[in-house]
Structure formats: structure tokens, C-alpha cells
Amino acid sequence: MIFMAKTLVVTPTYDEADNIERFIEQVLSKGPDIESLIVDDNSPDGTGDIVARIQAKNPRVHLLRRPSKMGLGTAYVDGFKYAISNKFDYIFEMDADFSHNPDEIPKFLEKISKYDLVIGSRYTNGVRVVNWPIRRLILSYGANVYTRIVTGMPVKDATGGFKCFRRSVLEAIDLDKVHSNGYAFQIEMNFKAWSKGFKVCEHPIIFNDRTSGVSKMSKRIVYEAVFMVWKLKFKKIFGKL
């Protein structure tokens, strides 16, 4: 299927040398109007250098190099600003470790024609997670129930990182005021889009835990998300979003 809209897949990286070349190849194979932006935090394993070599041969590959490990949230914000300034119509968030299946990209693009934000959901039509220890699954599922109760946002998977925005959604959000990372970043972006009246859709995906590299999960990321939902709730109440 050929999509006429200009699409950018934004992918933050830190030590993804084992995955990145194959990942970019699979993303670009999903349509001629799909491009890839890698936001690399000065990966010690040379991920940025690999992307630079690919970029030199392919104009659909873009690279933002950052000086140090600055976090997932700020990486996406930098990527979103790049997408807005270069007039991309649809902007994806997507991990490079194949926990997000590139084969789902065309399905997201079909749905984004009718919605403003399409969220890849692990918790629609049951629990759709592979290779996670039960403790992490309970933590993730519980975090989403907690988020739904506190914020009132009708989203079953508010913490997932595979999604597609229309550019108009990102333009409506003050990206300079988004400072969260990890789970909290995903919750914040979803909440702000929903609160501004944009149409949100959840698309069921199967999430496969990474098979190589190291997970970026930490206790700090979890605690940030716990407090972020209350911060968002009160900001909305007082009209500060």
C-alpha cells in the first residue's frame, strides 16, 4: 500500500548497534513516503556512526546526534520539533529493539487517517505481551489502571511507546513544557492530546520484549510516572496544561 502523506518514524537510541541497521531497513520497506529519524544520545557502541553511514547513502534516513545520554522524553521532543519544522504529516514513536513490530506501521497509517493519535495498545483485546516476567507485567498493567483512575483518560495503555501522531497534535502541545521521561512522558503526551479534544484510538499490538541489548527501565522512571498523573490532573483542573 502506498501512502501519500509524509511520514517520519522517530526512534531514540542508546547502544542499539546490534539492531539499528535492520530496524531502519524494515521501517523504510513499509512505504516510499516513510522516513526514519534516529535521535542518538552519543551511544558508546557506535550506533550513531552506523546511522551516519546509512544516511550518507539514503536521503530517507535522518540523524540527530546529542552530546550525552539525555533521556527518552527529550529525545522525542527533539524529534517532534524536527518533524514539525520539516512538515511531516504523521509522526511515529517507535523503539529500535523490535519490541515494536515494523509490520504494524501500515495498520497505524490506515487508522491515523480517521484519528489524531493512534496508540499501540498491549492491553486491548486482552494482555498482548511476550517474554515479560510476571512482576514487570503486573507493574505495567497496574500503572495503566492507576493512570486511568487518577486522570479519567479512557486509554487502556497510556504508558506504551509505539504510537502515531498527526502533526497538528504536536503543534498544539507546547513541547518546551514537556520535561518527563519514560512512562511519564508517554502518559503526559497522551493526556495533553486527549485533554485538547483530539481523537484518540488504541490499536491492539503484540509487544515482544527485546531479545538483545539492555532494558532502559529504572525505579526512577516508575516513580516519575506515579507522581506525573497527579500533576497532570491538577494542571488540567486549574487550566495550566
Side-chain angles (χ1 to χ4, degrees), residues 15 20 34 43 69 87 148 180 218 220 233:
D15 283 355
I20 197 63
I34 298 172
S43 296
K69 193 173 183 181
K87 304 297 183 185
R148 209 156 58 244
S180 52
S218 70
R220 182 185 61 79
K233 181 183 178 76

mmCIF file with all atom_site columns, all heavy atoms in Angstrom, residues 15 20 34 43 69 87 148 180 218 220 233:
data_model
loop_
_atom_site.group_PDB
_atom_site.id
_atom_site.type_symbol
_atom_site.label_atom_id
_atom_site.label_alt_id
_atom_site.label_comp_id
_atom_site.label_asym_id
_atom_site.label_entity_id
_atom_site.label_seq_id
_atom_site.pdbx_PDB_ins_code
_atom_site.Cartn_x
_atom_site.Cartn_y
_atom_site.Cartn_z
_atom_site.occupancy
_atom_site.B_iso_or_equiv
_atom_site.pdbx_formal_charge
_atom_site.auth_seq_id
_atom_site.auth_comp_id
_atom_site.auth_asym_id
_atom_site.auth_atom_id
_atom_site.pdbx_PDB_model_num
ATOM 1  N N   . ASP A 1 15  ? 23.023 2.740  22.468 1.00 0.00 ? 15  ASP A N   1
ATOM 2  C CA  . ASP A 1 15  ? 23.603 1.394  22.349 1.00 0.00 ? 15  ASP A CA  1
ATOM 3  C C   . ASP A 1 15  ? 22.648 0.416  21.658 1.00 0.00 ? 15  ASP A C   1
ATOM 4  O O   . ASP A 1 15  ? 22.237 -0.603 22.230 1.00 0.00 ? 15  ASP A O   1
ATOM 5  C CB  . ASP A 1 15  ? 24.003 0.860  23.725 1.00 0.00 ? 15  ASP A CB  1
ATOM 6  C CG  . ASP A 1 15  ? 25.301 1.472  24.232 1.00 0.00 ? 15  ASP A CG  1
ATOM 7  O OD1 . ASP A 1 15  ? 25.925 2.238  23.470 1.00 0.00 ? 15  ASP A OD1 1
ATOM 8  O OD2 . ASP A 1 15  ? 25.691 1.203  25.387 1.00 0.00 ? 15  ASP A OD2 1
ATOM 9  N N   . ILE A 1 20  ? 20.167 -1.565 14.793 1.00 0.00 ? 20  ILE A N   1
ATOM 10 C CA  . ILE A 1 20  ? 19.725 -0.356 14.104 1.00 0.00 ? 20  ILE A CA  1
ATOM 11 C C   . ILE A 1 20  ? 19.661 -0.481 12.583 1.00 0.00 ? 20  ILE A C   1
ATOM 12 O O   . ILE A 1 20  ? 18.729 0.024  11.948 1.00 0.00 ? 20  ILE A O   1
ATOM 13 C CB  . ILE A 1 20  ? 20.598 0.859  14.531 1.00 0.00 ? 20  ILE A CB  1
ATOM 14 C CG1 . ILE A 1 20  ? 19.884 2.158  14.143 1.00 0.00 ? 20  ILE A CG1 1
ATOM 15 C CG2 . ILE A 1 20  ? 21.997 0.783  13.950 1.00 0.00 ? 20  ILE A CG2 1
ATOM 16 C CD1 . ILE A 1 20  ? 18.562 2.372  14.840 1.00 0.00 ? 20  ILE A CD1 1
ATOM 17 N N   . ILE A 1 34  ? 7.673  6.882  3.777  1.00 0.00 ? 34  ILE A N   1
ATOM 18 C CA  . ILE A 1 34  ? 8.067  6.728  5.175  1.00 0.00 ? 34  ILE A CA  1
ATOM 19 C C   . ILE A 1 34  ? 9.569  6.993  5.305  1.00 0.00 ? 34  ILE A C   1
ATOM 20 O O   . ILE A 1 34  ? 10.378 6.457  4.556  1.00 0.00 ? 34  ILE A O   1
ATOM 21 C CB  . ILE A 1 34  ? 7.732  5.319  5.684  1.00 0.00 ? 34  ILE A CB  1
ATOM 22 C CG1 . ILE A 1 34  ? 6.224  5.078  5.623  1.00 0.00 ? 34  ILE A CG1 1
ATOM 23 C CG2 . ILE A 1 34  ? 8.250  5.124  7.104  1.00 0.00 ? 34  ILE A CG2 1
ATOM 24 C CD1 . ILE A 1 34  ? 5.811  3.655  5.921  1.00 0.00 ? 34  ILE A CD1 1
ATOM 25 N N   . SER A 1 43  ? 25.838 7.165  21.646 1.00 0.00 ? 43  SER A N   1
ATOM 26 C CA  . SER A 1 43  ? 25.989 5.763  22.043 1.00 0.00 ? 43  SER A CA  1
ATOM 27 C C   . SER A 1 43  ? 27.446 5.318  22.015 1.00 0.00 ? 43  SER A C   1
ATOM 28 O O   . SER A 1 43  ? 28.118 5.444  20.984 1.00 0.00 ? 43  SER A O   1
ATOM 29 C CB  . SER A 1 43  ? 25.193 4.865  21.083 1.00 0.00 ? 43  SER A CB  1
ATOM 30 O OG  . SER A 1 43  ? 23.817 5.129  21.168 1.00 0.00 ? 43  SER A OG  1
ATOM 31 N N   . LYS A 1 69  ? 23.776 11.013 27.175 1.00 0.00 ? 69  LYS A N   1
ATOM 32 C CA  . LYS A 1 69  ? 22.518 10.333 27.462 1.00 0.00 ? 69  LYS A CA  1
ATOM 33 C C   . LYS A 1 69  ? 21.581 11.302 28.186 1.00 0.00 ? 69  LYS A C   1
ATOM 34 O O   . LYS A 1 69  ? 21.721 11.550 29.380 1.00 0.00 ? 69  LYS A O   1
ATOM 35 C CB  . LYS A 1 69  ? 22.782 9.092  28.310 1.00 0.00 ? 69  LYS A CB  1
ATOM 36 C CG  . LYS A 1 69  ? 21.594 8.151  28.400 1.00 0.00 ? 69  LYS A CG  1
ATOM 37 C CD  . LYS A 1 69  ? 21.966 6.866  29.117 1.00 0.00 ? 69  LYS A CD  1
ATOM 38 C CE  . LYS A 1 69  ? 20.791 5.895  29.139 1.00 0.00 ? 69  LYS A CE  1
ATOM 39 N NZ  . LYS A 1 69  ? 21.137 4.649  29.848 1.00 0.00 ? 69  LYS A NZ  1
ATOM 40 N N   . LYS A 1 87  ? 7.776  19.601 8.159  1.00 0.00 ? 87  LYS A N   1
ATOM 41 C CA  . LYS A 1 87  ? 6.416  19.435 7.621  1.00 0.00 ? 87  LYS A CA  1
ATOM 42 C C   . LYS A 1 87  ? 6.015  17.983 7.352  1.00 0.00 ? 87  LYS A C   1
ATOM 43 O O   . LYS A 1 87  ? 5.353  17.686 6.354  1.00 0.00 ? 87  LYS A O   1
ATOM 44 C CB  . LYS A 1 87  ? 6.250  20.257 6.335  1.00 0.00 ? 87  LYS A CB  1
ATOM 45 C CG  . LYS A 1 87  ? 6.550  21.738 6.492  1.00 0.00 ? 87  LYS A CG  1
ATOM 46 C CD  . LYS A 1 87  ? 5.588  22.401 7.452  1.00 0.00 ? 87  LYS A CD  1
ATOM 47 C CE  . LYS A 1 87  ? 5.844  23.901 7.556  1.00 0.00 ? 87  LYS A CE  1
ATOM 48 N NZ  . LYS A 1 87  ? 4.987  24.551 8.583  1.00 0.00 ? 87  LYS A NZ  1
ATOM 49 N N   . ARG A 1 148 ? -5.521 5.519  34.568 1.00 0.00 ? 148 ARG A N   1
ATOM 50 C CA  . ARG A 1 148 ? -6.900 5.689  34.109 1.00 0.00 ? 148 ARG A CA  1
ATOM 51 C C   . ARG A 1 148 ? -7.792 6.200  35.241 1.00 0.00 ? 148 ARG A C   1
ATOM 52 O O   . ARG A 1 148 ? -8.633 7.083  35.036 1.00 0.00 ? 148 ARG A O   1
ATOM 53 C CB  . ARG A 1 148 ? -7.416 4.346  33.573 1.00 0.00 ? 148 ARG A CB  1
ATOM 54 C CG  . ARG A 1 148 ? -8.453 4.462  32.505 1.00 0.00 ? 148 ARG A CG  1
ATOM 55 C CD  . ARG A 1 148 ? -8.516 3.218  31.614 1.00 0.00 ? 148 ARG A CD  1
ATOM 56 N NE  . ARG A 1 148 ? -8.785 1.982  32.309 1.00 0.00 ? 148 ARG A NE  1
ATOM 57 C CZ  . ARG A 1 148 ? -7.951 0.963  32.377 1.00 0.00 ? 148 ARG A CZ  1
ATOM 58 N NH1 . ARG A 1 148 ? -6.781 1.021  31.784 1.00 0.00 ? 148 ARG A NH1 1
ATOM 59 N NH2 . ARG A 1 148 ? -8.266 -0.140 33.013 1.00 0.00 ? 148 ARG A NH2 1
ATOM 60 N N   . SER A 1 180 ? 9.251  15.337 30.987 1.00 0.00 ? 180 SER A N   1
ATOM 61 C CA  . SER A 1 180 ? 9.237  13.998 31.583 1.00 0.00 ? 180 SER A CA  1
ATOM 62 C C   . SER A 1 180 ? 9.944  12.983 30.688 1.00 0.00 ? 180 SER A C   1
ATOM 63 O O   . SER A 1 180 ? 10.234 13.242 29.518 1.00 0.00 ? 180 SER A O   1
ATOM 64 C CB  . SER A 1 180 ? 7.799  13.554 31.836 1.00 0.00 ? 180 SER A CB  1
ATOM 65 O OG  . SER A 1 180 ? 7.015  13.698 30.669 1.00 0.00 ? 180 SER A OG  1
ATOM 66 N N   . SER A 1 218 ? 13.976 1.770  34.866 1.00 0.00 ? 218 SER A N   1
ATOM 67 C CA  . SER A 1 218 ? 14.586 2.019  36.165 1.00 0.00 ? 218 SER A CA  1
ATOM 68 C C   . SER A 1 218 ? 13.500 2.402  37.164 1.00 0.00 ? 218 SER A C   1
ATOM 69 O O   . SER A 1 218 ? 12.394 2.776  36.784 1.00 0.00 ? 218 SER A O   1
ATOM 70 C CB  . SER A 1 218 ? 15.617 3.151  36.076 1.00 0.00 ? 218 SER A CB  1
ATOM 71 O OG  . SER A 1 218 ? 14.966 4.395  35.854 1.00 0.00 ? 218 SER A OG  1
ATOM 72 N N   . ARG A 1 220 ? 13.483 5.035  39.006 1.00 0.00 ? 220 ARG A N   1
ATOM 73 C CA  . ARG A 1 220 ? 13.240 6.474  38.869 1.00 0.00 ? 220 ARG A CA  1
ATOM 74 C C   . ARG A 1 220 ? 12.156 6.735  37.837 1.00 0.00 ? 220 ARG A C   1
ATOM 75 O O   . ARG A 1 220 ? 11.287 7.604  38.024 1.00 0.00 ? 220 ARG A O   1
ATOM 76 C CB  . ARG A 1 220 ? 14.538 7.195  38.472 1.00 0.00 ? 220 ARG A CB  1
ATOM 77 C CG  . ARG A 1 220 ? 14.378 8.711  38.364 1.00 0.00 ? 220 ARG A CG  1
ATOM 78 C CD  . ARG A 1 220 ? 15.654 9.358  37.844 1.00 0.00 ? 220 ARG A CD  1
ATOM 79 N NE  . ARG A 1 220 ? 16.000 8.870  36.517 1.00 0.00 ? 220 ARG A NE  1
ATOM 80 C CZ  . ARG A 1 220 ? 15.414 9.301  35.400 1.00 0.00 ? 220 ARG A CZ  1
ATOM 81 N NH1 . ARG A 1 220 ? 14.447 10.196 35.439 1.00 0.00 ? 220 ARG A NH1 1
ATOM 82 N NH2 . ARG A 1 220 ? 15.796 8.819  34.231 1.00 0.00 ? 220 ARG A NH2 1
ATOM 83 N N   . LYS A 1 233 ? -3.376 15.880 36.400 1.00 0.00 ? 233 LYS A N   1
ATOM 84 C CA  . LYS A 1 233 ? -4.764 16.049 36.849 1.00 0.00 ? 233 LYS A CA  1
ATOM 85 C C   . LYS A 1 233 ? -4.994 17.465 37.383 1.00 0.00 ? 233 LYS A C   1
ATOM 86 O O   . LYS A 1 233 ? -5.955 18.141 37.008 1.00 0.00 ? 233 LYS A O   1
ATOM 87 C CB  . LYS A 1 233 ? -5.080 15.021 37.938 1.00 0.00 ? 233 LYS A CB  1
ATOM 88 C CG  . LYS A 1 233 ? -6.521 15.086 38.469 1.00 0.00 ? 233 LYS A CG  1
ATOM 89 C CD  . LYS A 1 233 ? -6.713 14.089 39.592 1.00 0.00 ? 233 LYS A CD  1
ATOM 90 C CE  . LYS A 1 233 ? -8.117 14.165 40.181 1.00 0.00 ? 233 LYS A CE  1
ATOM 91 N NZ  . LYS A 1 233 ? -9.105 13.540 39.301 1.00 0.00 ? 233 LYS A NZ  1
#
